[in-house]
Amino acid sequence: MINKIDHLGIAVRSLDEAVPYYEKALGLKCEHREEVPSQKVRTAFFSAGEVHLELLEPTSPESPIAKFLEKNPAGGIHHIAFGVDNVQAQLQQAADAGVRLINDKPFEGAAGKLVAFLHPKSTLGVLTEFCAPKT
Ligand code: ZN
């Protein structure tokens, strides 16, 4: 079951450039920074009420975020992440509905969460993530 929007993933060229905008112009506080080698990104997390913002900076030209920035040079919203009870069950529900999956098994993403992505070709152009705390 989907419980909430957990976070929005936002692609940026540089965290050092982007973090001051969120802190100074919007008055949000950077809560957590982490490198996620499996996704070749560095992340910075902010909270806007109950929804988080996950800024994503590529650490390699092979990163999915680097590819996104080639098409969207200014950066922008990269994905929406739904908080779910059970990532595997949510993937199965989507697959049963005919949705193409990027990941057919959850993997460990930032902040120790289990995450998996649906393919944007099957989701009307919105890259969709499911995430759940690791139990
Ligand atoms: Zn995410």
Side-chain angles (χ1 to χ4, degrees), residues 92-115:
Q92 191 59 51
Q93 180 177 338
D96 290 347
V99 171
R100 193 168 142 199
L101 310 179
I102 293 180
N103 314 109
D104 53 10
K105 293 254 178 295
F107 62 95
E108 190 168 327
K113 287 189 172 170
L114 287 178
V115 306

Side-chain angles (χ1 to χ4, degrees), residues 7 54 79 129:
H7 64 271
E54 175 186 42
H79 65 271
E129 173 185 340

Side-chain angles (χ1 to χ4, degrees), residues 6-10 45 54 56 78-81 110 115 117 129 131:
D6 184 85
H7 64 271
L8 299 175
I10 298 173
F45 281 87
E54 175 186 42
L56 299 150
H78 177 258
H79 65 271
I80 181 167
V115 306
F117 288 89
E129 173 185 340
C131 70

